[in-house]
Structures are given as C-alpha cells and as structure tokens.
Amino acid sequence: MAVKATSDYFELLNKAVSREIQVSIQYMLQHGKMEKLMRKVIPENILLDKTTYEAVGKFLREFAIMEMKHAASVMERIYYLGGSATTKSSKPNIGNSLSEFAKYGLKAEEEALVLYRNIIDAARKVEDWETRELFEKIYSDEEKHLFKFQEYVNIQDEPEGSEQAPLSEWRRIFTSDYFDLLNKAVAAEISAIIQYTNQHEKASLLALREKNTALEVVTEKNKAKVVSELLIPIFKAEMEHLEKISDRIYLLEGEATTEPDPLPQIGETVDDFLKLDHEAENYALVLYRKIIDEAMKRGDSKTRRMFEDIIGQEEDHYWTFDDFLR
C-alpha cells in the first residue's frame, strides 16, 4: 500500500530540509571564517604544523557537505511521496569564535535530533518505512556531529590581542560597498546551490516516472535523467565557489551574508529547470563581470583572478544549459 502523506507530514519533512540547508550554509561559512580567526593565533601556536582553527575548519567543511547531502536525500523522498520540497532555509548562525561556532553547532544538532525523532515517530505511524530508515541514518550522522561540537563548546578562544593598527593604504580599498558587491556573489551562490540541488532531486523523480519512447525504455534514459545527472557536478562547483568567495571576504575582514538572492526558483518540468538555470547563470555572469571590473579598478588582483576563474566555470554552466534550449 502506498504511503498516504498528509500536508502536515510534508510540512514536517520540509522542516528537515530547511534545517539541513541552514546548517550546510552555516558550517561552510564558519569554515570560511577560519581565515579571519587564524589571525588571532598566539605566537606559541604559530610554531605548530596545524592549529586548532585548521582542525575545526576541516570538519566544518566535511559537515557542510554532508548536511547538503542530507537535504538532497530528504528532498528526493518528499518528491517521491508526491510533495514539493522547500527552498527556504532556517537562519544560519555564524558566530565570531571557535566557542561560538561550537555553541551554535551544538544547538543546531540538538534541535535536529528532536525534530528527527518526531519525524521517525511520524513515519512509523503512517508506515512510511523508507522515510523512517532514511531519518534513522541521518539521525546517526547528526548525533556524531553533536558529539564533535561538544568537544569544543568549552574551548578557550585566542585572546584578542593588542588594539588593531590603523588601516594601511592598501587595505583601504576594501570598503563596505565593495563587500556589499562581493556578498551579492555569496547570495547568488547560495541561491544556485539550493536551486540546483532541489531540481536534481525533482528531475530524478521525473526520470523514474516518465519514459515516453522505445529509445528511452531501452537506454533507461530520458531528458529528465540527463538533466538530473548534469546538475550534480554543477551544484558541487557552486559549493566550491561559495567556499572561495566567503573565504576571501573573511580574509579581508568582512562578513559574509547568509541569505540567498535572488530567491531560488525550481519550476515544474525539466524545461522549466533549464530555463531557470540558464537565467541564474546569466545573472551570475553579469554580476561577476562587474566584480572583476571593480576589483581591477581597486587594484585587488587576487579577488579579480579568483572571479576570473569562477566566471569561466559559470560560463561553461551557461552554455551547458543553453545547449538544451536551442
């Protein structure tokens, strides 16, 4: 007998999606902020091959990737049951120190365990054994994350040190309006990650349910399957872009945004996905050209080179989607 999923059940599952998107962004941006925090390393620690910041940064990045995989798995299940997966994220909390990272991480994981116990119980009641098994696996992962954050929640942060020296002439190029421009790129990357991940899972379902020709039956492929597969490396690339851009912002003593902009749009059909993704890549290309131009004007060669590399990848994405729209 098919599972009869109610609107309340889908709402519960979508709370998990929102939560997974939240912590994926949260942990990735905290990972990026390590570039800023490592400047607080006391002289004794500079002699070490690896500092606490690098150790924590490594597992935060791993957690961020795992949480987005969790989000994708739950999205897939929602679509399979006939629902619609949300693109909304709960609000990430970043913090300004290792202890705050751990505190916010611990809180997020505690909330997740409560939510996922409720989902496991709800799945049992409606005899949705696949969802129950999925969340039991996710629950196990989140419990490990919680234990990891517990190790660091009482850590002593590095001292602030002496009063910051006046800004040098070179550092004066990094003004608030420049950070606003860079944060438009962060917001665009967050939007793309959510949009492409969601579409990948929705396309996977369409690939299972829509085979209209003999060729599609024989090859076990259709347009939806092809699009679903091509979205995988693209949203992975967008995750790397988010990491690089946020790293750069934090290194320059700025703060990265946590909000997607423009808002992710999913669509109903594979053709919708392609059109919306084509538009998203066009938006990124125009924006990143502006950033490159502004970086060049200010003499920020490192940011310029970074975005020249990113824009090359975004152009590849643009033409990939464009090929399907001809």
Side-chain angles (χ1 to χ4, degrees):
M1 182 180 69
V3 175
K4 293 183 179 179
T6 64
S7 59
D8 288 342
Y9 192 57
F10 283 128
E11 183 179 352
L12 195 58
L13 296 180
N14 268 318
K15 284 183 180 179
V17 173
S18 294
R19 182 263 164 199
E20 293 291 346
I21 294 173
Q22 170 212 329
V23 291
S24 180
I25 296 168
Q26 179 172 313
Y27 298 159
M28 186 59 79
L29 293 183
Q30 287 174 337
H31 161 73
K33 202 164 190 176
M34 290 299 174
E35 292 286 349
K36 183 175 183 178
L37 295 185
M38 278 195 286
R39 293 184 174 180
K40 295 182 180 180
V41 173
I42 59 176
E44 291 84 349
N45 285 347
I46 291 175
L47 301 177
L48 299 174
D49 291 332
K50 183 171 70 173
T51 68
T52 306
Y53 295 109
E54 291 167 300
V56 175
K58 180 181 178 182
F59 79 68
L60 281 172
R61 186 178 189 277
E62 292 170 353
F63 285 4
I65 294 170
M66 184 179 291
E67 302 291 6
M68 190 53 71
K69 289 180 179 178
H70 290 168
S73 296
V74 181
M75 289 175 186
E76 179 183 32
R77 187 62 186 161
I78 289 171
Y79 283 124
Y80 187 85
L81 293 173
S84 182
T86 187
T87 59
K88 295 180 180 178
S89 166
S90 303
K91 184 173 176 56
N93 295 298
I94 308 303
N96 292 301
S97 65
L98 288 185
S99 61
E100 287 187 357
F101 290 0
K103 181 182 73 174
Y104 289 136
L106 185 63
K107 181 176 183 292
E109 298 300 337
E110 287 174 341
E111 291 171 349
L113 294 180
V114 172
L115 173 61
Y116 296 169
R117 282 197 296 269
N118 290 338
I119 292 175
I120 290 168
D121 186 55
R124 178 186 59 80
K125 289 178 180 177
V126 298
E127 298 184 347
D128 182 3
W129 309 125
E130 288 291 334
T131 298
R132 178 180 175 178
E133 183 177 350
L134 170 64
F135 274 92
E136 285 175 342
K137 171 63 172 65
I138 294 175
Y139 186 96
S140 176
D141 291 339
E142 304 297 0
E143 192 174 60
K144 292 173 185 174
H145 296 176
L146 180 139
F147 292 151
K148 191 67 175 178
F149 284 120
Q150 284 179 338
E151 295 176 16
Y152 290 90
V153 75
N154 293 317
I155 194 169
Q156 290 185 337
D157 294 314
E158 298 280 2
E160 290 295 331
S162 58
E163 188 175 337
Q164 189 174 9
L167 290 179
S168 63
E169 182 179 353
W170 174 75
R171 288 181 63 185
R172 290 194 185 101
I173 68 174
F174 305 117
T175 57
S176 60
D177 59 323
Y178 191 48
F179 284 124
D180 288 344
L181 188 60
L182 296 179
N183 266 316
K184 286 185 178 181
V186 172
E189 293 295 344
I190 293 173
S191 178
I193 291 164
I194 297 170
Q195 181 168 313
Y196 298 164
T197 302
N198 196 309
Q199 289 173 339
H200 162 69
E201 300 305 337
K202 195 169 186 177
S204 295
L205 176 67
L206 295 174
L208 286 173
R209 295 187 175 177
E210 294 183 4
K211 290 185 175 64
N212 300 315
T213 68
L215 181 62
E216 290 177 350
V217 173
V218 171
T219 60
E220 295 187 350
K221 277 193 173 184
N222 55 14
K223 189 175 182 179
K225 185 173 180 63
V226 172
V227 171
S228 177
E229 290 175 351
L230 74 84
L231 283 170
I232 296 173
I234 292 177
F235 71 64
K236 285 182 178 179
E238 306 297 356
M239 283 285 283
E240 292 175 0
H241 297 169
L242 173 62
E243 179 182 359
K244 289 178 180 178
I245 299 167
S246 62
D247 282 1
R248 183 63 179 159
I249 290 173
Y250 286 126
L251 183 65
L252 298 175
E253 302 287 338
E255 291 293 331
T257 186
T258 61
E259 300 293 329
D261 185 40
L263 293 176
Q265 298 185 68
I266 307 306
E268 294 300 324
T269 68
V270 174
D271 289 335
D272 289 342
F273 303 167
L274 293 166
K275 182 175 181 293
L276 291 168
D277 296 348
H278 191 256
E279 292 171 356
E281 294 300 331
N282 180 72
Y283 174 85
L285 289 171
V286 172
L287 173 61
Y288 295 174
R289 281 202 300 267
K290 290 180 182 177
I291 292 174
I292 291 168
D293 185 53
E294 187 62 33
M296 190 176 298
K297 289 178 183 177
R298 293 172 184 252
D300 181 8
S301 57
K302 189 168 184 178
T303 299
R304 174 182 59 80
R305 289 196 301 270
M306 180 182 74
F307 273 95
E308 285 175 343
D309 179 58
I310 291 173
I311 204 172
Q313 295 177 47
E314 301 292 8
E315 185 175 326
D316 289 342
H317 300 168
Y318 175 91
W319 290 119
T320 297
F321 296 129
D322 190 77
D323 288 342
F324 282 90
L325 296 174
R326 292 180 180 275

